[in-house]
Each structure stands twice: as C-alpha cells, then as structure tokens.
Amino acid sequence: MNKPLSASNASNELALLSLVVPVFNERSMLPIFFDHVLPILASLDMRSEIILVDDGSEDGGAEFIKTVIKKEPSIRLVKLSRNFGKEAAVTAGLENTRGNAVIVLDADLQDPPEHIPEMVGAWKSGFDVVLMQRRSRVGESFFKRLSAHLFYRLLNRTSRTEIPVDTGDFRLMSRRAVDALLRLKERNRYMKGLFAWVGMPTTIIKYDRAPRAAGQSKWDYPGLVGLALEGLTSFSVSPLRWATLAGLIAASVGGLFGAWIVLKAILLGDPTDGYPSLIAIVSFLGGVQLLSVGIVGEYVGKTYIETKQRPLYLTEEVVENREVRNRDEVNTFRGVKNVKAI
Ligand code: UDP
Ligand code: MG
C-alpha cells in the first residue's frame, strides 16, 4: 500500500462529495436506497450530490427519480438512451461529477452506505483512493464465491496491473484520480482494471457485503464468464502466450510420438495400431488450435471494437432541480449539454 503524498483539498469546508449510482431496473430498490443514503449524506460535514445513472431501465425508475429530484435538489439523473451496461453507466456517472471526492455505489445497498463517513475520513487523511474490500460474501452461492476467488488469482497472475482481490466498484476516488481515470478512453471497460491502472495513494477498508435488499441481480453466469474474459483479455496479453505455449507443447509431443512410432516400426518391426493414436492426436491438436484461434479472436475482436471509436454511451437527458443551482455552474458539466431542469 502506498503512503499518502499530500492531503488533498479535503480540509476545505465546502468540499463536495459526489455519489455515482448506476441504476438498471431498480424501481423496488430506489425508495429504500434514498431512505438509507440521504440521512448518511446529511450527517457528513461536507456538501454532497448524488448522480443516478439510469442505464435504460424499463420499470419506470427514471420517472420515480424525477419525482424525488423535485424534493431533493442534491440529486441529478443522467438517463442513458438505452442499457449500456454497468461499466458504461459508471463512466457516465463519473463524467458528470463535480465533487472533490467521488464514491461509486450500487443501488441495491450491497455496498453499505454506512461506510461512507469512514471512506471520507480516509480521503481526508490524504488518500486518493479508498478501496472497499469484501470480507464476506453473505448470500452468494459457494460456486459464485469459488469462481470469484479463482478468477482474481488468475487475473493477477497474468497481468502487470495488480487488481486487488475482492474489491468491486465500491470505492472512493479523489478528483485527480477520477480525472485520471476518465482519460482512459478505451471501449472495453473493465472498470476494476482501469481503476487499478490509475494507481495513486491507496488504502483498503474491509467490509461485509450484504445480500441484495430487493430486486434481482443483473448478473447471470454467462454474463459473469463474459466479464471474466473481458478482464483477462483487457489487462493482459499472456493468454495469447499460453496459446502459443500450448501449441508448442502439443506439437512437440505429437512430433516425438510420431517419430517413436516410425522408429518402433523400423527397428523392432512392430506394426502399430494406427487408428486410435491417430484419433487421439488429431482431436488433441484440433482442440489446441481451436483454443488458440479463440484466444486470438478475443483480442482481434477487442481491436475491432476499439477502432470503431464509438462513444461509450449516449445520454438521453440530464435532469436536475435547478432552483438551487446557478445556471453557470450547471453548464460547466464536462461534455454534458441539454441539462433539463425540473
Ligand atoms: N447495473 C447497471 N446496468 C446493468 C446492470 C447493472 O447499471 O446493465 C447496476 C445495477 O442497477 C446495480 C449495480 O449495477 O446498481 C450492480 O448490479 P447487480 O446488483 O445486478 O450486480 P451484482 O451486485 O450482482 O454484482
Ligand atoms: Mg448487487
């Protein structure tokens, strides 16, 4: 862990804390979320804003948020034009923050907001990044825990950017860490890796991850496997090397085995039963080849997506209660136009 270099401008009384919350079909969660989070924010000795990013919800969540905004001027809604996925939603949220410190938080209260004061405290003591590390994974199946464990180990063995074990998107970042992160413009956004790439003075706080309070997880196993592949191939090219190595080993074994059969036939006059060994070798080599092509394809696909240079997400509207904000301030959001006032 790094030592803090300098205390940020955290001592400033008017410091602003931004919460970034990706929201996708969380209508049942939202009232509970606000009930929990708003009192905690009110208890802080700094100003705060909540940026809710509606990631194409189809359950009327955005409409509900708009009604809350009428009463709660500290909330802003960034509505994306469709579902772009959590990573894009978090990026959209970060781009809309103005805080001196930013916390990324899930809407389902699995990232307990009770830790916010502690995180802010760590930031005030000079850390740029406050990582929240899961101590337990209550309510998750054994298989999910095992696969998560194996995945982190594998990821860190293959990549030069060390990605801390059992941390998610739940974390606090200083303004300069957020700005650094937003300079990474890649399309394949494996957020944990991007966060880790930024580095900066970091501290870790352990917490117990609670089960979801309402609604359903948006991740299924195919989705998680996809995310794992994304993580591996975004942050390391060593799978390409494994493919080469596996190919090399398979080819050498096959070659030696072939030579052995030939020698046996010439020297010992031993006629070999060709069919079974042939099938074995062909299927083995076929497998290695398919695997290698698949791995190469993963990277080629990534390059393809990057070259298209599409925006990461499209904003349909940004809604906030402008009564309390002055117009100029609103217009300085990075890259966001058409802020709609209600
Ligand atoms: N989420 C999102 N877009 C998506 C999927 C999820 O913005 O396409 C949000 C979701 O609303 C929640 C957070 O990301 O606030 C975490 O999602 P979820 O609880 O489903 O993931 P898990 O906690 O199971 O990893
Ligand atoms: Mg969750």
Side-chain angles (χ1 to χ4, degrees):
M1 213 185 305
N2 298 317
K3 286 223 116 162
L5 297 173
S6 63
S8 30
N9 50 355
S11 49
N12 182 349
E13 239 185 280
L14 289 173
L16 175 69
L17 174 71
S18 306
L19 288 196
V20 169
V21 187
V23 178
F24 177 50
N25 291 344
E26 302 279 8
R27 178 64 185 83
S28 55
M29 250 339 285
L30 287 169
I32 314 175
F33 176 80
F34 290 128
D35 284 350
H36 262 76
V37 171
L38 291 173
I40 293 173
L41 291 183
S43 73
L44 297 174
D45 57 350
M46 63 194 294
R47 293 179 302 136
S48 53
E49 60 174 9
I50 306 180
I51 290 109
L52 292 155
V53 184
D54 182 76
D55 188 16
S57 300
E58 285 165 352
D59 60 353
E63 279 57 46
F64 175 73
I65 294 170
K66 285 181 195 171
T67 61
V68 179
I69 290 178
K70 291 206 175 107
K71 290 172 275 167
E72 272 301 330
S74 61
I75 299 176
R76 192 177 323 133
L77 167 70
V78 177
K79 188 169 188 298
L80 305 187
S81 63
R82 63 169 170 84
N83 178 256
F84 282 89
K86 185 184 176 188
E87 330 290 307
V90 169
T91 309
L94 291 175
E95 281 181 353
N96 278 280
T97 57
R98 288 170 294 178
N100 308 86
V102 177
I103 292 179
V104 181
L105 196 72
D106 282 0
D108 58 8
L109 295 178
Q110 279 193 291
D111 305 334
E114 290 72 33
H115 290 283
I116 292 176
E118 199 184 343
M119 297 163 84
V120 169
W123 167 65
K124 287 191 171 168
S125 71
F127 288 104
D128 279 276
V129 180
V130 183
L131 282 183
M132 300 305 288
Q133 189 173 47
R134 290 171 213 176
R135 197 182 292 131
S136 63
R137 291 172 161 243
V138 187
E140 289 187 3
S141 69
F142 170 77
F143 190 63
K144 187 162 181 188
R145 292 205 304 262
L146 179 75
S147 43
H149 174 87
L150 291 176
F151 169 68
Y152 280 118
R153 282 0 177 238
L154 179 65
L155 190 60
N156 278 331
R157 291 198 129 220
T158 55
S159 157
R160 284 193 58 201
T161 314
E162 195 178 329
I163 296 170
V165 174
D166 286 342
T167 57
D169 295 336
F170 185 30
R171 64 188 60 219
L172 179 146
M173 281 174 288
S174 66
R175 182 78 255 160
R176 63 174 185 170
V178 171
D179 288 344
L181 182 73
L182 291 176
R183 286 173 57 197
L184 306 182
K185 292 290 181 206
E186 58 218 76
R187 265 75 201 153
N188 298 292
R189 294 191 85 76
Y190 181 63
M191 289 309 275
K192 281 175 215 174
L194 299 182
F195 285 138
W197 185 90
V198 168
M200 301 219 185
T202 299
T203 183
I204 295 182
I205 296 179
K206 291 196 189 292
Y207 77 105
D208 293 312
R209 189 160 167 87
R212 220 172 211 285
Q216 275 183 357
S217 172
K218 312 297 176 301
W219 290 108
D220 45 8
Y221 267 103
L224 280 176
V225 170
L227 187 72
L229 261 184
E230 178 88 25
L232 279 175
T233 52
S234 295
F235 272 83
S236 141
V237 287
S238 58
L240 279 176
R241 244 169 272 147
W242 302 338
T244 319
L245 195 71
L248 206 67
I249 293 172
S252 326
V253 171
L256 286 175
F257 189 52
W260 163 241
I261 290 174
V262 171
L263 277 178
K264 219 165 56 160
I266 293 174
L267 299 178
L268 307 175
D270 185 10
T272 323
D273 238 1
Y275 202 62
S277 49
L278 209 65
I279 293 290
I281 291 172
V282 166
S283 54
F284 177 60
L285 282 185
V288 170
Q289 276 170 356
L290 280 181
L291 178 77
S292 314
V293 170
I295 292 173
V296 173
E298 238 344 274
Y299 288 96
V300 174
K302 285 217 149 62
T303 318
Y304 171 62
I305 289 170
E306 294 293 338
T307 51
K308 285 196 286 194
Q309 292 286 305
R310 287 191 182 158
L312 281 170
Y313 59 86
L314 287 181
T315 314
E316 188 180 307
E317 57 179 348
V318 177
V319 183
E320 69 170 11
N321 186 336
R322 224 183 254 187
E323 271 166 36
V324 290
R325 292 207 187 279
N326 90 41
R327 204 189 168 82
D328 295 337
E329 195 189 0
V330 170
N331 287 336
T332 54
F333 299 161
R334 249 156 307 174
V336 178
K337 295 177 192 87
N338 306 324
V339 177
K340 196 161 130 192
I342 57 173

